[in-house]
């Protein structure tokens, strides 16, 4: 005859909640994407195609929300790191994205901007959640360049999007860590450049 504890254990195994409980996090936390973490000798951030909508010479700014902008606010923050997890100051980050209708501004610079990481390797953008467009999951485009170094071109994705599975470009390594923050979302992604 099973003890009460064994019964409970068997029940938990059947419902799949025991593993989460034993690992010390709750079922909600388990649904969140893994927190980007840097380990010594970490693999550099995966490169992705630039796509057809990059424009050089975007304005230097961290706030891409202009008067009349629509769409949920996203505060995107993170670090630019070397493969030894050292923060890189003065690295360029250029971000471009679709608007709330899935369109890119190809005549001006709406939802385009660049900035440089601070002394602690941090960057921060305030923008909107881009809409999906035909054939693509929701994403940001970015270029990251250390001072005088090679450009990393890639794209960042939102967790929990049905469109991710249908987008052949999607890579789970490029998922941001996203949490609700007020009326919008706080997104986090740390870039690891191929620098020792
Ligand atoms: Fe795109």
């Amino acid at each position: 005859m099973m003890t009460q504890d064994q019964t409970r254990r068997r029940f938990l195994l059947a419902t799949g909640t025991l593993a989460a409980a034993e690992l010390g996090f709750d079922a909600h936390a388990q649904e969140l994407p893994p927190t980007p973490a840097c380990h010594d000798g970490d693999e550099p951030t995966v490169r992705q195609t630039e796509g057809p909508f990059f424009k050089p010479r975007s304005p230097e700014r961290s706030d891409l929300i202009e008067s009349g902008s629509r769409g949920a606010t996203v505060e995107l923050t993170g670090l630019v790191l070397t493969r030894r997890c050292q923060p890189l100051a003065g690295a360029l980050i250029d971000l471009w994205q679709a608007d709330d209708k899935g369109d890119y501004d190809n005549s001006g610079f709406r939802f385009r901007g660049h900035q440089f990481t601070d002394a602690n390797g941090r960057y921060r953008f305030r923008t909107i959640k881009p809409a999906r467009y035909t054939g693509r999951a929701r994403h940001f485009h970015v270029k990251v360049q250390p001072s005088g170094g090679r450009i990393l071109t890639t794209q960042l994705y939102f967790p929990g999007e049905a469109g991710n599975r249908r987008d052949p470009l999607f890579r789970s390594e490029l998922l941001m860590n996203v949490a609700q923050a007020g009326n919008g979302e706080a997104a986090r992604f740390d870039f690891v450049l191929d620098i020792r």
Side-chain angles (χ1 to χ4, degrees):
M1 185 178 162
M2 285 195 294
T3 65
Q4 193 176 3
D5 193 51
Q6 282 170 327
T7 308
R8 179 170 174 272
R9 188 177 174 86
R10 209 167 260 199
F11 171 75
L12 288 170
L13 282 169
T15 58
T17 54
L18 182 63
E22 287 190 340
L23 288 168
F25 46 70
D26 61 32
H28 174 71
Q30 197 180 23
E31 285 165 19
L32 291 173
T35 303
C38 190
H39 310 284
D40 190 23
D42 208 356
E43 285 301 303
T45 301
V46 173
R47 294 175 181 275
Q48 293 223 294
T49 177
E50 172 180 297
F53 301 121
F54 174 68
K55 274 179 75 170
R57 292 178 290 282
S58 69
E60 181 174 349
R61 57 181 176 175
S62 60
D63 193 343
L64 306 188
I65 297 181
E66 300 173 8
S67 61
S69 292
R70 278 190 301 239
T73 301
V74 178
E75 179 114 355
L76 171 62
T77 59
L79 296 165
V80 177
L81 302 163
T82 67
R83 291 181 67 182
R84 287 184 172 148
C85 309
Q86 297 302 303
L88 278 168
L92 170 80
I93 302 207
D94 199 330
L95 183 145
W96 72 104
Q97 65 170 94
D99 64 14
D100 66 312
K101 298 199 163 44
D103 296 323
Y104 288 84
D105 181 4
N106 295 311
S107 53
F109 287 94
R110 280 180 63 241
F111 301 117
R112 298 173 184 270
H114 77 269
Q115 63 183 267
F116 297 89
T117 53
D118 69 12
N120 298 310
R122 286 182 303 219
Y123 73 90
R124 171 187 162 274
F125 282 105
R126 184 170 169 269
T127 185
I128 62 151
K129 196 167 184 173
R132 288 167 296 171
Y133 56 90
T134 308
R136 293 305 319 276
R138 200 186 303 276
H139 62 279
F140 290 125
H141 292 271
V142 284
K143 286 180 180 284
V144 185
Q145 184 177 30
S147 179
R150 184 182 177 204
I151 296 171
L152 164 73
T153 301
T154 193
Q155 303 184 31
L156 304 180
Y157 297 88
F158 289 78
E161 297 265 332
N164 288 343
R165 276 178 288 117
R166 295 192 292 266
D167 185 340
L169 284 178
F170 170 76
R171 292 283 298 267
S172 59
E173 301 96 313
L174 297 172
L175 279 171
M176 297 175 289
N177 202 335
V178 177
Q180 289 297 317
N183 292 328
E185 295 180 353
R188 169 76 189 249
F189 191 87
D190 295 344
F191 297 95
V192 179
L193 300 185
D194 194 5
I195 295 173
R196 281 282 167 183

